[in-house]
Structures are given as structure tokens and as C-alpha cells.
Amino acid sequence: MIFVFHLTYKPDSGHIRTKALPEHKAYLGLQAERMAFAGPLTSDDGATMIGSLLAIDFADRAAAESWLANEPFTKAGLYGAVSIHAFNNLWPQKVGFPA
């Protein structure tokens, strides 16, 4: 089942993000085969990063929550708000996971 992670950063936490970014990217890379999409959320200027949006296939919610608990940005204390939702992909895509 695909789970979508909506993750927003704490204010003034850019230094935390910068320091943990290499480890974060490596950790995400371990899920490459199960990832539908992943990327930063930005403010309306399109450049200022304010969070992340990830969609990853996990066996169940417990596995998704466990993965997030060990994610480097989580461990570094970057996220101010976190939500996880099961997601059903009903729209055909040209790339990524099949509908």
C-alpha cells in the first residue's frame, strides 16, 4: 500500500536540513524501487523549502511509521508537523507506479 508523507519543517531550521541532507538522500535511496514520488515542498516563491512530500509503498502503516521514525530528518528534529495517509493511485501515470 502506498503511504503519503506530508512533512513540514520547523521555522528557521535550514541549518538542520543542510547538515542532515546527505544522510536523508541516502536513506531515501534505499526505497527507490518502492517510491512513487518524493520531493521538497516550497513556499509560493518556488525556491524556499518548507517541507517534503513522499509517496512510498509499505506493507502497512506500522512499517511506514517505523521507516519515518528512522529517517534522518526525523532523527535530527527537522519536522514541525507530520502526517501520514494511505493513498490509492487512481490516475494513470506515464512514469512511476502503475495505476
Side-chain angles (χ1 to χ4, degrees), residues 10-63:
K10 292 178 181 174
D12 302 317
S13 59
H15 63 287
I16 297 171
R17 184 184 183 281
T18 299
K19 183 176 180 183
L21 186 59
E23 191 178 353
H24 165 77
K25 285 183 175 181
Y27 191 74
L28 284 179
L30 297 174
Q31 303 305 320
E33 295 297 317
R34 301 183 330 178
M35 195 167 305
F37 60 83
L41 297 170
T42 62
S43 64
D44 291 342
D45 67 9
T48 304
M49 294 186 197
I50 59 169
S52 297
L53 185 63
L54 314 170
I56 306 171
D57 186 38
F58 288 101
D60 53 35
R61 184 177 189 83

Side-chain angles (χ1 to χ4, degrees), residues 35-98:
M35 195 167 305
F37 60 83
L41 297 170
T42 62
S43 64
D44 291 342
D45 67 9
T48 304
M49 294 186 197
I50 59 169
S52 297
L53 185 63
L54 314 170
I56 306 171
D57 186 38
F58 288 101
D60 53 35
R61 184 177 189 83
E65 290 174 347
S66 176
W67 178 86
L68 184 60
N70 291 296
E71 195 276 326
F73 282 176
T74 300
K75 292 168 82 174
L78 179 62
Y79 300 127
V82 171
S83 64
I84 303 171
H85 300 279
F87 175 75
N88 291 316
N89 185 16
L90 301 177
W91 194 260
Q93 298 175 356
K94 294 181 181 177
V95 297
F97 280 22

